[in-house]
Amino acid sequence: MRGDYVMYCSDEAWQGGVRVGMPLSEAGALMNNRSSNRKPNHCHSSSAQLPLTMQHNPDADRCALQELAHWCQRFSPWVALELDDEPSSLLLDMTGLEPLLGHELKVSQQVGRAFERLGYKVQLGFGDHVGTAWAAAHYGNLNTTSPWLHEANLSNLPVEALRLPNKVLDLMASLGISQVHQLQSLPRPALASRLGQKLVQRLGQIEGSCPEVLIPYQPPPEFQFRWVAEHPIANHQSIHQALYLLIERLANQLLQRQQGAMELECQLICQVPTACQYNVPHIDQIVDGKTGNRNVPVVLKIGLFQPRATVDHLEKLVQIHLEQLRLPGPVCEILMRATATAKLKIRQGELFDDPSRRQTQQLATLVERLEGRLGQKAIVGARLNTDILPERMVCDEKLTGLQARSSRRAPSHSKHLQTQKTSYPTIRPLQLHTPPVPLEIIAVVPDGPPIRFRIRGQISQVSRHWGPERIETGWWRGKSVRRDYYRIETTHGNRLWLFRCLEDGQWFLHGSFT
Amino acid sequence: MMYAELHCKTPFSFLEGASHAEQLWGRAAELGYAALAVTDRNTLAGIVRAHTAAKQASLKLIVGAEVTPCDAPSVVLWATDRAAYGRLSRLITVGRRRADKGDCHLTWEDVAAHAQGLLAGVIPVLQPTPQPGQIQHTTTFHQNPLRHGESCLATPEMLQPYKELFGDRCYLLAELHRGVDDRRHLEQLETLANTTQIPLVAAGDVHYHVAGRMVLHGALTAIRHNTTVAAIQGQLFANAQRHLRTLEEIALVFASIPEALQHTCEIADRCQFSLDELRYEYPEELAPHGQTPLAYLQRLTWQGAQLRYRHGIPDKVRQLLTHELQLIGELQYEAYFLTVWDLVRFARLQGILCQGRGSAANSAVCYCLGITAVDPDQTDVLFERFVSRERNEAPDIDVDFEHERREEVLQYLYNKYGRQRAGMTAEVIRYRTRSAIRDVGKALGLSLDRVDALAQQVEGSHHEPLLTDRCRQVGIDPDSATGQRLVYLVNQLIDFPRHLSQHVGGMVITQGPLCELVPIENAAMEGRTVIQWDKNDLDELGILKVDCLALGMLTAIGKCFVLILKHTGRQLTLANIPEEDEQVYQSICQADTMGVFQIESRAQMSMLPRLKPRCYYDLVIEVAIVRPGPIQGNMVHPYLRRRAGKEPVIYPNESVRQVLEKTLGVPIFQEQAMRLAVVAAGFTPGEADQLRRAMGAWRRPGIIDKFRQKLVNGMLGRGFSREFAEQVFRQIRGFGEYGFPESHAASFALLVYVSAWLKVYYPDAFIAALLNSQPMGFYAPAQLVRDARDHGVPVRPIDVNFSDWDCTLEKATNEECTGKRERGSVISPRALRLGMRMITGLSYKNAKIIKEARCQSPFQSITEFTRRTGMNRTTVIQLARADAFTSVKQDRRGALWEALSQEQRPREMPLLEDLNDDDDERPAGLEKAGLQQEVYDDYRTTGLSLRQHPIAFHRVALNHYQIVPAKQLASLGNQQLVRVAGLVLLRQRPSTAKGITFVTLEDETGTANLILHQRVWERYYTIARRSSAWIASGKLEHSGGVIHVVVNRLEDLSGRLQKLKSQSRDFR
C-alpha cells in the first residue's frame, strides 16, 4: 500500500482536498479529518471512516468501456473506443443518422437520458471530425444551444483539447502556448520538428485536414446458440433433436477457434400453465400475459474434466443430465452456451495408441458421466494440504470446470503425492475416523500410552506402542489444537491410532491401520 | 541429572529465534541447566547479549554458531578457547564477505581450514524426514534451501570427513522433538553413530524459552518468508517442543541414550572460553620506532599545548594535562588517543574540516592534540565525564567531518589498517510499533489497507499503550480473535532485532586482526564493511570505537574558507577566526541568523533577542537551552527572568552556588546535574555517572525514577527543602528527553560563532558555500538567496556562459553594490553567480562538460552550444527552461523554441561547423512571457526567482482584502487583529509544544511567524496540510522583540500560485 497514489477521485473527494497524484495515505488522512470534524464533539472511540478506495485496474476500465460501447450500438452502428493506452472516451459515428434520430440537440438529450438511466453521467460533444467531437466533449461549452463544435470556434480552445501527452502540454506551457489559435499561427514544419509530429497530426485532425479512422469495437464471440420452437414440444425425441442441433453448432464454432468447452450451460424454457402449481423456487418465472402460461427456465450446468468439442460426447453428457430432470412442461425454447472454454489440445493420431493417453481420455469420460448421474458433489478428487493437523491434511476438490483445471495444473501437487506415498503408509493410517471416536480408558501409563481401553463395548489390551508424537497447531485459525498421538497394537493384533487431547486429557481413536 | 543445552538460537538468527537472551538464560538457570550455548546461524551478533544475560543469570555460556556449508551437513561449532573463538569468527567473516549483505556462503573447505580447537556437533538430516505436512525436509529453514539438497543428507560418507577433521572433537546431535516417529529416528541415529564412531550428544534445537512462544515463532517464520502463517503452516514446527524443556522431560526423551546426556556436560566442560577473555588491543604502529605510545602521546600533547598557548601554558591547563596524561597512562588508553590524533591529522592534511564533539571536549589532551576546539582554560572541564578510573569504561570520542568528504576519512582508515583490522560498527534495527504492526498484520493475513491505516495511527518509535484503542479507530475489533492475536503478537514482537545496519560513523580498529575478535560482513553500501556488534556490545566488552560523524555545516564552512582564500587571499581556519567580535554578537542578538549553525531554527531565533548572547559562553547556553530537555524541565523561563534581572538568583548554599553559578542557578547541562547530585544529594561520582546514563536512556523513561528516591532523600538529609529537591529532580529528568552535555554544547557553540562570523563578514562567500552544501539546514535556497540579497550581496542568474556547477563569486559592478541593502553592514565587492546545481534534474557531469567547452570562447548561439558541448536535446531544453541562455539569447521562450529544434543527439557535422543557423527571433506566434509568468517559470525550474516575489503580483488584490505585508507587522500594535498572506516556508511541530504548529509565511517584504493551535490546525486541516500559500488571520503578539501571529482562520491562496515549485520544509 505504501506506494499507492490517487488515480481518479470523486467530486466529493475533490472538494475534500483530494487530488490526483496524491499519496493514498494522505488522501485517507484528509477524508478522515473531514469526517471527524463534521461531528461536533469528536470523540476518539468512534471508528473513523476510511474513504472507499479501489485498486486502479486499467483492464477492468477497458472492459467496462467495451461493454458500454456494445450498448451504444443502439445509437450508432459504428462505435469505437478512443485509441489510447487507457481509453476513456467512446466515439460514435453519426453520419447519415439524422433522419432517424433527429437534430443533434435532440440526440444529445436522448443519449444523456439513456446514460442517466444506467447510472452514468455523460459528457457529450459533436463535431465534424473525431478531433472536434472529442474537444467538444471535453472542453466545449455545454451551455450553448448546440453541442456542435464548429471549426470557426476552434481557435479559442485550450491546447489540452488536442489529446496530447502531458510532456508536450508541459513544453507548450513553457512556451506560453495555451490556446489552439496560437499554435495555428506558428509555421507547421517548425512545430513538427520542435513539438513532435503528433502535435501536427492532432492539429490536422481537429482542423479536418488529417483523416482519422474509427475502428469499431466488436465484442468477442459468445459461444451461445438459441433454438425456438414454433409450438411448445413435449416429445423427448424432438427435444433431443433440437439439443443435438445446438450442440453441433456450438461444437463447430468451438472447433473453429480451437477451443473446447469446460463448462456448458443449457437452459430449457418450459411452458407451464398458470393453474399448475409447479413450485420452483429461485427460478425466474415469466408469465405470458396472453395465454396465461408461465415460462419456467430449467437450467443444466455441466462441468467438464478437460476441454471438449466433440459433438457426441457433449450430447451424451447433456442427455445424462437431462435424464435426471423432469421438465415441468413442454419446451418452447432452448439456450445452449459454453460458459467457460479453454484451448483444445489437438494431437496427431498415432499408429499405435498410447495407452496412457487413452487412459486419461477414459478417466475424463468416466468422471464427466458419473458426475452427470450422481451430481457434482459426488465426484471429487483428493488433494494433499500442507496442514499439520491430520484431519486437514487432505481435502476434496472439484474435478470438473475451469477452476479444477487450473488447480490440477499446479506443478507441486503431483510431486507431493509421490513423496508422500512412499513415506507414510506405516506411520499414518489410511483411514481416519471423522469425527474421532472417544475412548473409555481403563488403565494408562501416567503421561504415557493407554494400557487397556474400551471401544464399542469391547475391551482391548495394548501390547505394543509407538509414540508419542505431539501435534500443536492451528492457533492462527482459532483455538489451538494440542494432541499426543500413539500408534498402538492390541493383543488382538489390531493396530490403531489414538490421541490424547492435551487440554482435557480425553482419549480418542483417530484411525485404524489395515 | 546434569544437562547443558548446546543448540540454541537467539533473535540474532534474524526472525528465527523467538526469545530474548535474558529470557533464555534466565529460564535455563531457573530449570537448573548446567550451561546454555548461543549458536546463531552463521553469526556471532547475539553473543554479547547472551554473555550479559548469562552473567546476570549466573549460568555458564558456551559460545558457538551454527554454520551451514553448502556442500556438507550443517554443523554447530563451539569455541573451546580464545584461539578457537578467533577461528570461528574468521570463518564466519570468510562466508559473510563472500556473500551479499545478510547472506553467508561457506564450503566444507572453509570449515576444514578453521576447524582447529573448535568442537563440532553435526546436525543430521536423515533420509525420510517423516514430518507429516512438512513436505520439504527441515533444510527449508536454511536461508538458501537450494544449496541444501540431497548432498547434505547425513550419510556415513558425508559424516566421515567431519570425523576425520575433528577427531574426538566431533559429535552427532540427537535432537528429538516428539516427531512423527522418534523411535525410528533415534534408531537411525544410533546406527549412524555406530558406523561412523561419532558419539551422539543430546540437544534441543531451542528457538524460544517457553512453549507459549510457538505463536510468535510461527509469525516470525511467516514474516521471514514474506507470507502468511496460514500459507506457511506446513513449514512450521509441528509442535512447541523447541523450547527449554524441564530436566525431567529431557531425561524422559533421551532415556534410551543416557550417554548422549552425559556428553552435553562433557562438551560444556571442554568449552572454557568466555567473552571476558577478549582483550582489545589498540593499534600500536602510530608511535615512531623506539618510542612507547605513551611517551609519544606525551610529546605530542606538550608540543600541541605550546602551539595552542603561545604566551605560555596556563597553570590550570598544565595541571589538567598532567592529571589526564597520568590517568590515560594508567588505563592504557594512549593508543586510542593516538589513533584519533592520526585521523584528525589526516583530515587536516587533506583540508577536510573536522572537530571533536561530545564528552571528548572535556579533555585538555584532546584540545592540545587538535581533536577538539574548546579551550579548557575558558570552560570548566570535567575529565572524569570522559575518562574515569572507577567506571573502567571506554572513552568515546566523536569527531565531526564535512559531510561530503567523510567517506575519504573512512576509506583512509580502511586503507591504513586494512579490512582485516578496521570495521564499522553495526546498528541493530529493531521492531518498533509501526513496523511490528505492518509485519504481524501481513503474517496474519489481514487486509493491507487496514494494517496500513493502523500503522499510520501509531507513533512510530514509542511503545503504544493504547494499541487496542487505535485498533478500534481503524475498524479492527481488538476483542475479536484476530484482533487479539494482532495485539498480542505486536506487543511481543516490539524490540526484536530485524536486521543489522551500519552505525552512523563508529569505526573499530584493532592491533590484531579484527575478524578474530568479531565477524565482519559486507554492508549494503559499496566499499563498507561492518562488524557484527553494535555500540552497546562494544561498550559491554570495553572496546573502543572512533565515531566519524558527518556534519553539513562543516562542509559549508570548509567551502566558505576555500572561496574566501580564492577571492581575498585570506587564509581562515576554525582556529584563527577573530574571537568575541562585537558585530557578530550584534547580529546574533537581532536574530539575523538564517543559515547560521544551530541557531537558525524558529525556536532559536525567537529566543535570541531575549537571551541576547554577548559572549561565547552565552552561545554555549543558547545552544543547550533551546532543546526539548530544558524546555520540558521548565528551565528556560527562570533563566530568562534571571538574566533579565527580573528575578533574584538565590543559592541554597555555597556548594550549590559553585555548580550553578555560571548558569544563574538553573541546571542547563548534564554535567551540572551530575555535580548537583554529588554536592547536594551525596552521590558518589560513580553513582552520578549512573544517573547520567539513566538520563541518556530516554527510551525507557521509567529507569530514572529509581534515582528519584535517592536524590530527594539525599537532599532532604542535607537540609534542602523538599520543594527544591523535587524541582532539581524534575529538571534532571527533563534531560531524559534530549539534553546536551556542556562539552557538546561548547563544541557546537564554536561552529555557531564561526558561521555567524562568516555570515557577517563574508556574506557572499557564506551564501555561496551554503548553496553548494545543500541540502542542509532549515531553509530552502530561495530563502537563503533572499536573505543574502537583503544583506547586500548581488545575485546573478544561472547562465551557461558564466555558471559552474557550484555557485561562484564574481566581481560586482558599482551599481550592483549601491543597490538596496537592508540589514547588512559590510559592502560586498563580489556578486554571487548561481550555479547550475540549482537547476532541477541537471547532472553534475553535464555541468562539467559545459564548463570545459566554454573555455575557448563564450557560446554565441544555442546551435553552437549544442554542437560544442554535445548535449542531448533534453538537457538543452532543461537549460532553456531554466533561462540559462540569457547571455546567448535574450528571451527565455525564444531560447526554448530554439532548444526544441536541436537534434535529439548531436552528430558530428564538420562541414556545418561554422554555420550559425539559429533563427533570429522567436516566431511571431510566441508571445514574450509576462513578469509573473517568468517568476513562476523560475520557481518551477530552479525553486527560486531573482526577479520578483510571487506574492507581489497579488499585492493589489491582497490590499483589497486588508492583508498586511509582513514587514509592517512590527509597526502594528500588540493584540491587534491582522491578516497576512504568503508562501509557506516551513511547518514545524515540536513534540514538546502540545500540538502547536509553528509556521513561517513569506511574502515579498519579509516573513511572518505564525502559531497554530491544535484545534485551528484540525479545523483547516486540508489547507494547513496541503496548501503552499495561505491567507492567515489572527491576533498579533509582541513579546521581547519577537512578533507572532496567533492564527484563528486560514484560507487557501495557492490556487493562483499553483504552478510554483515551492516546497515547504516540514519538521516534526
Side-chain angles (χ1 to χ4, degrees), chain B residues 322-371:
Chain B
T322 320
H323 169 66
E324 287 183 18
L325 284 171
Q326 190 198 343
L327 202 58
I328 290 169
E330 243 173 69
L331 297 170
Q332 297 174 342
Y333 287 153
E334 61 273 9
Y336 177 57
F337 281 82
L338 284 176
T339 311
V340 180
W341 163 80
D342 174 62
L343 192 63
V344 169
R345 185 186 56 170
F346 165 77
R348 296 262 152 79
L349 276 177
Q350 299 297 312
I352 304 170
L353 284 192
C354 61
Q355 184 184 306
R357 67 148 101 151
S359 53
N362 273 317
S363 153
V365 171
C366 281
Y367 178 70
C368 292
L369 289 176
I371 297 166

Coordinates of all heavy atoms in Angstrom, one line a residue, chain B residues 322-371:
Chain B
T322 N 48.7 17.2 33.1 CA 49.5 16.2 33.8 C 48.5 15.1 34.4 O 48.8 13.9 34.3 CB 50.2 16.9 35.0 OG1 50.7 18.1 34.6 CG2 51.3 16.0 35.6
H323 N 47.4 15.6 34.9 CA 46.5 14.7 35.5 C 45.9 13.7 34.5 O 45.9 12.5 34.7 CB 45.3 15.5 36.1 CG 44.1 14.7 36.5 ND1 44.2 13.8 37.5 CD2 42.9 14.7 36.0 CE1 43.0 13.2 37.7 NE2 42.2 13.8 36.8
E324 N 45.5 14.3 33.3 CA 44.9 13.5 32.3 C 45.9 12.5 31.7 O 45.6 11.3 31.6 CB 44.4 14.4 31.1 CG 43.1 15.1 31.5 CD 42.6 16.0 30.4 OE1 42.9 15.7 29.2 OE2 41.8 16.9 30.6
L325 N 47.1 12.9 31.5 CA 48.1 12.0 30.9 C 48.4 10.9 31.8 O 48.6 9.7 31.4 CB 49.4 12.8 30.6 CG 49.3 13.6 29.3 CD1 50.5 14.5 29.1 CD2 49.1 12.8 28.1
Q326 N 48.4 11.2 33.1 CA 48.6 10.2 34.1 C 47.5 9.1 34.1 O 47.8 7.9 34.0 CB 48.7 10.8 35.5 CG 49.2 9.8 36.5 CD 48.9 10.3 37.9 OE1 48.5 11.5 38.1 NE2 49.0 9.5 38.9
L327 N 46.3 9.6 34.0 CA 45.2 8.7 34.0 C 45.1 7.9 32.7 O 44.9 6.7 32.7 CB 43.9 9.5 34.1 CG 42.6 8.8 34.6 CD1 42.9 8.2 36.0 CD2 41.5 9.7 34.7
I328 N 45.4 8.5 31.6 CA 45.5 7.8 30.3 C 46.5 6.7 30.4 O 46.3 5.6 29.9 CB 45.8 8.8 29.2 CG1 44.6 9.7 29.0 CG2 46.1 8.1 27.9 CD1 44.9 10.9 28.0
G329 N 47.7 7.0 30.9 CA 48.7 6.0 31.0 C 48.3 4.9 31.9 O 48.5 3.7 31.6
E330 N 47.6 5.2 33.0 CA 47.2 4.2 33.9 C 46.2 3.2 33.3 O 46.3 2.0 33.4 CB 46.5 4.8 35.1 CG 47.2 4.6 36.4 CD 46.5 5.5 37.5 OE1 45.3 5.2 37.8 OE2 47.1 6.5 37.9
L331 N 45.3 3.8 32.6 CA 44.2 3.0 31.9 C 44.6 2.5 30.6 O 43.9 1.8 29.9 CB 42.9 3.8 31.8 CG 42.4 4.2 33.2 CD1 41.2 5.2 33.0 CD2 41.9 3.1 34.0
Q332 N 45.8 2.8 30.1 CA 46.4 2.4 28.8 C 45.5 2.8 27.6 O 45.2 2.0 26.8 CB 46.6 0.9 28.9 CG 47.6 0.5 29.9 CD 47.7 -1.0 30.0 OE1 46.8 -1.8 29.6 NE2 48.8 -1.5 30.7
Y333 N 45.1 4.0 27.6 CA 44.3 4.5 26.5 C 45.1 5.3 25.5 O 44.6 5.8 24.6 CB 43.1 5.4 27.0 CG 42.0 4.7 27.7 CD1 41.3 5.3 28.7 CD2 41.7 3.3 27.4 CE1 40.2 4.6 29.3 CE2 40.7 2.7 28.1 CZ 39.9 3.3 29.0 OH 38.9 2.7 29.6
E334 N 46.4 5.3 25.7 CA 47.2 6.2 24.9 C 47.1 5.9 23.4 O 47.0 6.8 22.6 CB 48.7 6.2 25.3 CG 49.4 4.8 25.2 CD 49.2 4.0 26.5 OE1 48.4 4.4 27.3 OE2 49.9 2.9 26.6
A335 N 47.0 4.6 23.1 CA 47.0 4.2 21.7 C 45.7 4.7 21.0 O 45.6 5.1 19.9 CB 47.1 2.7 21.5
Y336 N 44.6 4.7 21.8 CA 43.4 5.2 21.3 C 43.5 6.7 21.0 O 43.0 7.1 19.9 CB 42.3 4.9 22.4 CG 40.9 5.5 22.0 CD1 40.3 5.0 20.9 CD2 40.3 6.4 22.9 CE1 39.1 5.5 20.5 CE2 39.0 6.8 22.5 CZ 38.4 6.4 21.4 OH 37.2 6.9 21.0
F337 N 44.1 7.4 21.9 CA 44.2 8.9 21.6 C 45.1 9.1 20.4 O 44.8 10.0 19.6 CB 44.8 9.6 22.8 CG 43.8 9.9 23.9 CD1 43.5 8.9 24.8 CD2 43.2 11.1 24.0 CE1 42.5 9.1 25.8 CE2 42.2 11.3 25.0 CZ 41.9 10.3 25.9
L338 N 46.1 8.3 20.2 CA 46.9 8.4 19.1 C 46.2 8.1 17.8 O 46.3 8.8 16.7 CB 48.2 7.5 19.2 CG 49.2 8.0 20.2 CD1 50.3 7.0 20.3 CD2 49.8 9.3 19.7
T339 N 45.3 7.1 17.8 CA 44.5 6.7 16.7 C 43.7 7.9 16.2 O 43.6 8.3 15.0 CB 43.6 5.6 17.0 OG1 44.3 4.6 17.6 CG2 42.9 5.0 15.8
V340 N 43.0 8.5 17.2 CA 42.1 9.7 16.8 C 43.0 10.8 16.3 O 42.6 11.5 15.4 CB 41.3 10.1 18.0 CG1 40.4 11.2 17.7 CG2 40.4 8.9 18.5
W341 N 44.1 11.0 17.0 CA 45.0 12.1 16.6 C 45.4 11.9 15.1 O 45.4 12.9 14.3 CB 46.2 12.2 17.5 CG 47.4 13.0 17.0 CD1 47.5 14.3 17.0 CD2 48.5 12.4 16.3 NE1 48.7 14.7 16.4 CE2 49.3 13.6 15.9 CE3 49.0 11.2 16.0 CZ2 50.5 13.4 15.3 CZ3 50.2 11.0 15.3 CH2 50.9 12.2 14.9
D342 N 45.7 10.7 14.8 CA 46.2 10.4 13.4 C 45.1 10.7 12.4 O 45.3 11.2 11.4 CB 46.6 8.9 13.4 CG 46.9 8.4 12.0 OD1 47.9 9.0 11.4 OD2 46.2 7.6 11.4
L343 N 43.9 10.3 12.8 CA 42.7 10.5 11.9 C 42.5 12.0 11.7 O 42.3 12.4 10.5 CB 41.5 10.0 12.7 CG 40.2 9.8 11.9 CD1 40.5 8.8 10.8 CD2 39.2 9.3 12.9
V344 N 42.6 12.8 12.7 CA 42.4 14.2 12.6 C 43.5 14.8 11.8 O 43.3 15.7 11.0 CB 42.3 14.8 14.0 CG1 42.3 16.4 13.9 CG2 41.0 14.4 14.7
R345 N 44.7 14.3 12.0 CA 45.9 14.8 11.3 C 45.7 14.6 9.8 O 45.9 15.5 8.9 CB 47.1 14.2 11.8 CG 48.4 14.7 11.1 CD 49.6 13.9 11.5 NE 49.4 12.5 11.2 CZ 50.4 11.6 11.2 NH1 51.6 12.0 11.6 NH2 50.2 10.4 10.9
F346 N 45.2 13.4 9.5 CA 45.0 13.1 8.1 C 44.0 14.1 7.5 O 44.2 14.6 6.4 CB 44.4 11.6 7.9 CG 43.8 11.4 6.6 CD1 44.6 11.1 5.4 CD2 42.4 11.4 6.4 CE1 44.0 10.9 4.2 CE2 41.9 11.2 5.2 CZ 42.7 10.9 4.1
A347 N 42.8 14.3 8.2 CA 41.8 15.2 7.7 C 42.4 16.6 7.5 O 42.1 17.2 6.4 CB 40.6 15.2 8.7
R348 N 43.2 17.0 8.4 CA 43.8 18.4 8.3 C 44.6 18.5 7.0 O 44.5 19.4 6.2 CB 44.6 18.7 9.5 CG 43.9 18.8 10.8 CD 43.6 20.2 11.1 NE 42.3 20.3 11.9 CZ 42.3 20.0 13.2 NH1 43.4 19.7 13.9 NH2 41.1 20.0 13.9
L349 N 45.4 17.4 6.8 CA 46.3 17.4 5.6 C 45.5 17.5 4.3 O 45.9 18.1 3.4 CB 47.1 16.1 5.6 CG 48.4 16.1 6.5 CD1 49.1 14.8 6.5 CD2 49.3 17.3 6.0
Q350 N 44.4 16.8 4.3 CA 43.5 16.8 3.1 C 42.7 18.0 3.0 O 41.9 18.1 2.1 CB 42.6 15.5 3.2 CG 43.3 14.2 3.2 CD 44.2 14.0 1.9 OE1 43.7 14.3 0.8 NE2 45.4 13.7 2.1
G351 N 42.7 18.9 4.0 CA 41.9 20.1 4.0 C 40.5 19.8 4.3 O 39.6 20.5 3.9
I352 N 40.2 18.7 5.0 CA 38.9 18.3 5.4 C 38.7 18.9 6.8 O 39.4 18.6 7.8 CB 38.6 16.8 5.5 CG1 39.0 16.2 4.1 CG2 37.2 16.5 5.9 CD1 39.0 14.7 4.1
L353 N 37.7 19.8 7.0 CA 37.4 20.4 8.3 C 36.9 19.3 9.2 O 36.1 18.4 8.8 CB 36.3 21.5 8.2 CG 36.8 22.8 7.6 CD1 35.7 23.8 7.8 CD2 38.1 23.3 8.2
C354 N 37.3 19.3 10.5 CA 36.8 18.4 11.4 C 36.9 19.0 12.8 O 37.6 19.9 13.1 CB 37.6 17.1 11.4 SG 39.3 17.3 11.8
Q355 N 36.1 18.5 13.7 CA 36.1 19.0 15.0 C 35.5 18.0 16.0 O 34.4 17.4 15.7 CB 35.3 20.3 15.1 CG 35.3 20.9 16.5 CD 34.4 22.1 16.6 OE1 34.5 23.1 15.8 NE2 33.5 22.1 17.5
G356 N 36.1 17.7 17.1 CA 35.6 16.8 18.0 C 34.4 17.4 18.7 O 34.3 18.6 18.9
R357 N 33.5 16.5 19.1 CA 32.4 17.0 19.9 C 32.1 16.0 21.0 O 32.8 15.0 21.2 CB 31.2 17.1 19.0 CG 30.7 15.7 18.5 CD 29.2 15.8 18.4 NE 28.7 15.9 17.0 CZ 27.6 15.4 16.5 NH1 26.8 14.8 17.3 NH2 27.3 15.6 15.3
G358 N 31.1 16.3 21.8 CA 30.7 15.3 22.8 C 31.7 15.4 24.0 O 32.3 16.4 24.2
S359 N 31.7 14.3 24.8 CA 32.4 14.4 26.0 C 33.9 14.6 25.8 O 34.6 15.0 26.8 CB 32.2 13.1 26.8 OG 32.4 12.0 26.0
A360 N 34.4 14.3 24.6 CA 35.9 14.5 24.4 C 36.3 15.9 24.6 O 37.4 16.2 24.9 CB 36.2 14.0 23.0
A361 N 35.3 16.8 24.5 CA 35.7 18.2 24.7 C 35.9 18.5 26.1 O 36.3 19.6 26.5 CB 34.5 19.1 24.2
N362 N 35.8 17.5 27.0 CA 36.1 17.7 28.4 C 37.6 17.5 28.6 O 38.1 17.5 29.8 CB 35.3 16.7 29.2 CG 34.0 17.3 29.6 OD1 33.9 18.4 30.0 ND2 33.0 16.4 29.5
S363 N 38.3 17.2 27.6 CA 39.7 16.8 27.8 C 40.7 17.8 27.3 O 40.6 18.3 26.1 CB 39.9 15.4 27.1 OG 41.3 15.3 26.7
A364 N 41.6 18.2 28.1 CA 42.6 19.2 27.7 C 43.6 18.5 26.7 O 44.1 19.2 25.8 CB 43.4 19.7 28.9
V365 N 43.8 17.2 26.9 CA 44.7 16.5 26.0 C 44.1 16.6 24.6 O 44.8 16.8 23.6 CB 44.9 15.0 26.4 CG1 45.6 14.2 25.4 CG2 45.6 15.0 27.7
C366 N 42.8 16.3 24.4 CA 42.2 16.3 23.1 C 42.3 17.7 22.5 O 42.5 17.9 21.3 CB 40.7 16.0 23.2 SG 40.4 14.2 23.4
Y367 N 42.2 18.8 23.4 CA 42.3 20.1 22.9 C 43.8 20.4 22.3 O 43.9 20.9 21.2 CB 42.0 21.1 24.0 CG 42.2 22.6 23.6 CD1 41.3 23.1 22.7 CD2 43.2 23.3 24.1 CE1 41.4 24.5 22.3 CE2 43.3 24.7 23.7 CZ 42.4 25.2 22.8 OH 42.6 26.5 22.5
C368 N 44.7 19.9 23.1 CA 46.1 20.1 22.7 C 46.5 19.3 21.4 O 47.3 19.7 20.6 CB 47.1 19.8 23.8 SG 46.9 21.0 25.1
L369 N 45.8 18.1 21.3 CA 46.1 17.3 20.1 C 45.3 17.8 18.9 O 45.5 17.3 17.8 CB 45.7 15.9 20.4 CG 46.5 15.1 21.4 CD1 45.9 13.7 21.6 CD2 48.0 14.9 20.9
G370 N 44.5 18.8 19.1 CA 43.8 19.4 18.0 C 42.5 18.6 17.6 O 41.9 18.9 16.6
I371 N 42.1 17.7 18.5 CA 40.9 16.9 18.2 C 39.7 17.8 18.5 O 38.8 17.8 17.7 CB 40.9 15.6 19.0 CG1 42.1 14.8 18.7 CG2 39.6 14.9 18.9 CD1 42.4 13.6 19.6

